[in-house]
Amino acid sequence: TTVFGRPVDDERIDCHLYPSKMALYRHLVLSGADVRNGDWYRHHQPLYNPLDVESYSSSGTSLRADLGVDEYTLLLGKLGRNDAAKWSESLVKAFESLRLRGVDCELVTVNPPGEILASFERRGVDDSVHVLRDLPLGSEPEFYNGIDIYVHSSAIGETFGYVLAEAMAAGTPIVVEST
């Protein structure tokens, strides 16, 4: 299914997997599915996000050292797909506001699109933004444990970003823009 529980109609599919029971029930209601047929449940199942919470208890000290950020500087972090829809100008404005108020903070971004980087530059705060083009697979816990606050803002709005669950698993506080 898509992440919003809209199944792809294709007879080659043996089972539709939904990211939650809510998405499964949403499809059930919207499609008017005949659930009296016992076969229906065999072909429609929830599959929850497989997050290994224990793997997020690692240390993040090397991230700060790698970036040259001291322990007294507030380090914010944001990662996302390199797609303008997954980022928001609100993040840029909020970061600029913190800097203008004299908050000693820096931001580490992973995969920001060019439009967002240009916006940081236009606002004159790009000298406090660290850009990582990618994280090696499996190093996400180090990223979340290395920052003080995860900041999430998306132009399209999101009901549930997996990055939020990852940050929570690491015990990292989250600030989210409500869209």
Side-chain angles (χ1 to χ4, degrees):
T1 74
T2 68
V3 294
F4 298 106
R6 296 184 196 107
V8 176
D9 290 323
D10 188 325
E11 64 277 354
R12 296 174 294 174
I13 297 174
D14 293 325
C15 185
H16 294 278
L17 300 174
Y18 298 81
S20 67
K21 280 187 180 177
M22 184 200 75
L24 184 146
Y25 294 147
R26 178 181 183 276
H27 169 70
L28 183 132
V29 169
L30 292 177
S31 70
D34 182 7
V35 296
R36 291 172 293 180
N37 173 355
D39 240 18
W40 193 91
Y41 286 108
R42 207 177 60 193
H43 297 289
H44 297 268
Q45 294 290 319
L47 176 68
Y48 300 103
N49 294 322
L51 181 61
D52 180 8
V53 175
E54 291 177 12
S55 71
Y56 283 79
S57 62
S58 68
S59 167
T61 55
S62 66
L63 177 65
R64 281 182 176 275
D66 292 347
L67 298 174
V69 177
D70 67 53
E71 63 181 303
Y72 303 106
T73 299
L74 179 64
L75 185 58
L76 309 172
K78 161 75 171 135
L79 69 92
R81 191 171 66 233
N82 187 326
D83 178 347
K86 289 295 207 175
W87 295 72
S88 171
E89 183 70 22
S90 297
L91 172 66
V92 179
K93 291 176 185 176
F95 185 67
E96 176 191 32
S97 178
L98 288 172
R99 298 290 298 169
L100 290 173
R101 290 188 170 127
V103 176
D104 182 17
C105 63
E106 295 187 25
L107 173 66
V108 57
T109 62
V110 181
N111 291 324
E115 305 93 308
I116 293 296
L117 291 176
S119 188
F120 282 121
E121 188 174 344
R122 274 193 311 278
R123 293 178 178 276
V125 294
D126 56 314
D127 61 333
S128 300
V129 177
H130 304 272
V131 179
L132 303 177
R133 284 292 157 206
D134 206 1
L135 286 179
L137 191 60
S139 66
E140 296 87 357
E142 185 177 326
F143 172 80
Y144 293 110
N145 282 292
I147 60 176
D148 296 308
I149 300 174
Y150 183 77
V151 290
H152 188 72
S153 180
S154 171
I156 58 173
E158 293 187 276
T159 55
F160 180 79
Y162 198 64
V163 293
L164 302 176
E166 291 174 330
M168 288 188 285
T172 302
I174 304 169
V175 174
V176 180
E177 175 187 17
S178 176
T179 53

